[in-house]
Amino acid sequence: MDKMGGMGLMQGVRDAGEFSRKFRDTISTLKDMAKVMGSSMEGALQAFQESRMSGFYSKGDIVKNMLNRQVTAGLTGMNQSQVAQLQQYGGDMGHATGGSRRSGANAITRTAGQLGMANQMGILSNDQIMEMTGKEGAAGIQDLAADMSQLGYKMGNSNVGQALTLALGKQKNGRYTGEMDEDLVAKVR
């Protein structure tokens, strides 16, 4: 209860009924997470807090993120703590560059999963990971995902990145819609 209060989950509650509803909803989410994780409620509470710090706020988003963390851990060999640290880093990067914490956490988690898959398929060898990061295994994949995400954000915020976005982006009434023109992207590839 104290830990949930420390996270500000009950902030803004105006009456006992609303408090009771929020409390039951949070406990339900924690139970779902504990089942997915195969852990105690304490472990689920820690993962819940980590997810919130990475930009996942609703019950559905937190549970979905927990599943993504499990898959990423399986693909990369990282433990839950490493995935949480990676997501926190991605969330901070996303926020620092004007995006949302959630989008940054999702992007870096996806990158790590893709690197883990490439490693399992033999496309990316352990030697290559060691050469690029100075680390092996899960720690190497964690660092490589962080480096690649950071480079992606730097590219996106550079003059060249912004020019590419404008050149390859869909436009409506002379304005960028936020989507890429897939035909133009295919031509560039």
Side-chain angles (χ1 to χ4, degrees):
M1 178 78 165
D2 289 341
K3 288 184 180 182
M4 288 189 331
M7 284 189 266
L9 294 175
M10 302 302 166
Q11 208 166 9
V13 172
R14 299 174 205 264
D15 59 42
E18 186 179 354
F19 177 88
S20 178
R21 184 190 55 73
K22 272 189 152 183
F23 183 78
R24 281 194 310 267
D25 190 45
T26 302
I27 294 298
S28 172
T29 301
L30 291 172
K31 284 180 181 178
D32 290 346
M33 289 177 66
K35 285 178 193 172
V36 169
M37 295 171 60
S39 77
S40 66
M41 291 284 281
E42 281 290 316
L45 183 59
Q46 180 179 347
F48 184 90
Q49 185 174 17
E50 292 164 351
S51 289
R52 287 183 55 81
M53 290 171 52
S54 295
F56 302 95
Y57 304 114
S58 73
K59 175 183 177 175
D61 288 345
I62 290 171
V63 172
K64 189 184 329 181
N65 181 53
M66 199 63 250
L67 290 170
N68 286 337
R69 280 176 53 165
Q70 296 286 89
V71 170
T72 301
L75 288 171
T76 63
M78 288 185 221
N79 60 39
Q80 287 298 313
S81 178
Q82 288 173 306
V83 177
Q85 288 171 348
L86 189 66
Q87 284 190 323
Q88 181 69 46
Y89 181 73
D92 290 347
M93 256 195 308
H95 184 259
T97 56
S100 69
R101 291 186 185 283
R102 178 181 165 175
S103 65
N106 276 333
I108 204 165
T109 304
R110 185 173 40 255
T111 299
Q114 290 169 343
L115 290 170
M117 181 65 75
N119 182 243
Q120 287 183 12
M121 294 173 66
I123 297 168
L124 178 65
S125 73
N126 290 325
D127 293 344
Q128 290 169 319
I129 293 170
M130 178 66 149
E131 189 65 31
M132 289 184 270
T133 66
K135 296 180 182 174
E136 293 183 300
I141 291 173
Q142 183 181 19
D143 281 5
L144 188 55
D147 290 347
M148 289 178 69
S149 294
Q150 191 174 44
L151 287 171
Y153 276 109
K154 283 182 180 179
M155 174 64 176
N157 287 326
S158 72
N159 291 337
V160 172
Q162 291 176 4
L164 275 172
T165 300
L166 290 173
L168 300 176
K170 283 185 182 177
Q171 294 190 15
K172 184 175 183 179
N173 299 328
R175 295 192 161 275
Y176 176 59
T177 64
E179 298 176 3
M180 300 304 280
D181 184 325
E182 294 302 323
D183 294 333
L184 288 175
V185 172
K187 287 178 184 177
V188 172
R189 287 186 186 160

